[in-house]
Amino acid sequence: MAKTCTLVLLGALVVLSLLVSPIACSGKLAKVAGPHKPAAVKGHKNQTTNPSSSAAYGGGWLPAGATYYGNPNGAGSDGGACGYQTAVGHRPFSSMIAAGSSPLFMAGMGCGACYDVKCTSNSACSGKPVTVVITDLSPGNLYPGEPCHFDMSGTALGAMAKPGMADKLRAGGVIRMQYKRVPCKYPGVNIAFRVDQGSNPFYFKTLIEFVGDDGDLKAVALKEAGSGAWTPMAQDWGALWRLNNGRRLRAPFCLKLTSDSGRVLVVNNVIPANWKAGATYRSLVNYR
């Protein structure tokens, strides 16, 4: 009898622990169950692609909190912890951006990821999802009861409102909302490489922006002219990556991008032999 009671008690404790486990804030992609064939990535004669494994975006809605910063109808702020600067207010971001709390920002590795967000907790909420891009780090701590936080631009928060009720929603303080990870879609826009002003023949750093599909990158490598070897670049901060191996670098450069879910995109000779610090070089490809 004592043994039976002990087993029953242990079983009850296991069930109770599962019920009270907290919901984790997650920016990761749900993996596909079973075999999955990734969609092909289109290139052109001077740009080659090499797609590998992909991931699904079919997860359910998760709880979060939302506020806004900057002007009520603005783009949050120029700059931000991802380094996109004034691009946040222009196409394709179009001010639909958010600063994510640490589990979403992931020390900059979450820069560029896209999320659908919606709210029903306020009478001004439409309940219809809109898409935002992580372009900054949300300052401060989480508000009580929320696993993660989106500090949105005024434009993005207002987009969750019913027609004509954006100002009422923005005045609602901390909004309880839901979010889920979705692919980034930038029709007609390809990946751009903005060379940092501090770059020189021995030190190369670039901002990588407008990455489609996953939106964020987990690895970048550079191949110099006349070389068959890929040299890993280091994440500098936000969406900027650097290479400083102590010797003069030979351009033009090819860049190999690896997305969050492992898809690989090779961009040939995108940085020309006569590259300039501060210049932006646009590729002819993107993840599709």
Side-chain angles (χ1 to χ4, degrees), residues 180-226:
K180 65 178 178 179
R181 182 80 180 265
V182 296
C184 296
K185 298 178 180 179
Y186 301 130
V189 178
N190 292 319
I191 297 172
F193 301 87
R194 191 189 311 173
V195 180
D196 186 78
Q197 290 282 3
S199 296
N200 59 60
F202 298 88
Y203 175 82
F204 181 75
K205 182 165 71 173
T206 183
L207 172 74
I208 303 175
E209 53 191 352
F210 315 138
V211 177
D213 198 29
D214 289 352
D216 52 357
L217 299 172
K218 68 178 182 181
V220 179
L222 181 148
K223 185 167 67 174
E224 299 176 63

Side-chain angles (χ1 to χ4, degrees), residues 29-227:
L29 309 180
K31 295 300 181 182
V32 176
H36 175 74
K37 181 179 180 181
V41 184
K42 297 180 180 180
H44 68 97
K45 64 181 181 180
N46 293 321
Q47 311 278 337
T48 61
T49 61
N50 180 23
S52 61
S53 62
S54 188
Y57 295 77
W61 293 96
L62 299 172
T67 49
Y68 85 93
Y69 70 119
N71 295 326
N73 296 296
S77 68
D78 292 345
C82 288
Y84 296 126
Q85 302 178 21
T86 56
V88 297
H90 301 282
R91 183 176 178 269
F93 292 150
S94 303
S95 302
M96 293 297 291
I97 59 89
S101 58
S102 293
L104 299 169
F105 184 73
M106 296 186 292
M109 299 298 283
C111 289
C114 294
Y115 295 88
D116 271 359
V117 294
K118 66 178 182 178
C119 69
T120 57
S121 60
N122 186 294
S123 61
C125 292
S126 71
K128 298 178 180 179
V130 298
T131 304
V132 297
V133 185
I134 298 297
T135 62
D136 202 352
L137 172 64
S138 177
N141 296 319
L142 299 173
Y143 290 88
E146 60 179 29
C148 61
H149 191 83
F150 289 77
D151 198 13
M152 300 184 188
S153 68
T155 297
L157 189 72
M160 294 195 296
K162 296 174 183 175
M165 302 188 75
D167 286 338
K168 180 179 179 181
L169 185 60
R170 284 190 286 260
V174 181
I175 305 298
R176 301 302 180 188
M177 52 157 265
Q178 298 83 43
Y179 77 100
K180 65 178 178 179
R181 182 80 180 265
V182 296
C184 296
K185 298 178 180 179
Y186 301 130
V189 178
N190 292 319
I191 297 172
F193 301 87
R194 191 189 311 173
V195 180
D196 186 78
Q197 290 282 3
S199 296
N200 59 60
F202 298 88
Y203 175 82
F204 181 75
K205 182 165 71 173
T206 183
L207 172 74
I208 303 175
E209 53 191 352
F210 315 138
V211 177
D213 198 29
D214 289 352
D216 52 357
L217 299 172
K218 68 178 182 181
V220 179
L222 181 148
K223 185 167 67 174
E224 299 176 63
S227 173

Side-chain angles (χ1 to χ4, degrees), residues 193 195 204 206 251-255 268-275 281:
F193 301 87
V195 180
F204 181 75
T206 183
F253 303 143
C254 304
L255 292 171
N268 280 334
N269 301 321
V270 67
I271 308 299
N274 60 343
W275 63 269
Y281 300 99

